[in-house]
Amino acid sequence: MGMTDKARNKAEELKGQAKERYGAATDNEQMRAEGAAEASKARTKDAGEHAKDAGRDVRDAFGG
């Protein structure tokens, strides 16, 4: 996974967390939920990228 992907995923996660906190602070349940969903989506994308990297590492270890 490139540094660009990592940075993009982290930025999306932080944006979602900020939106979630703002929603909680203003008692806006919809914004809080949207923020939580955005942060979760970014973490899921990051985990998928890590899984792809692990698969490539295994393939390379076996000479594939």
Side-chain angles (χ1 to χ4, degrees):
M1 169 168 57
M3 289 303 291
T4 305
D5 292 331
K6 285 182 182 181
R8 187 178 307 124
N9 290 341
K10 191 61 172 176
E12 287 179 21
E13 181 181 357
L14 292 174
K15 178 184 165 198
Q17 288 174 348
K19 196 173 190 179
E20 183 179 7
R21 287 187 184 120
Y22 182 78
T26 59
D27 211 23
N28 183 333
E29 192 61 32
Q30 182 178 353
M31 184 173 286
R32 190 202 61 75
E34 286 174 11
E38 288 175 15
S40 178
K41 180 180 173 184
R43 284 190 296 271
T44 300
K45 285 195 294 186
D46 196 41
E49 292 293 331
H50 284 292
K52 283 195 285 186
D53 287 345
R56 283 187 205 110
D57 290 345
V58 169
R59 183 191 64 208
D60 292 345
F62 287 103

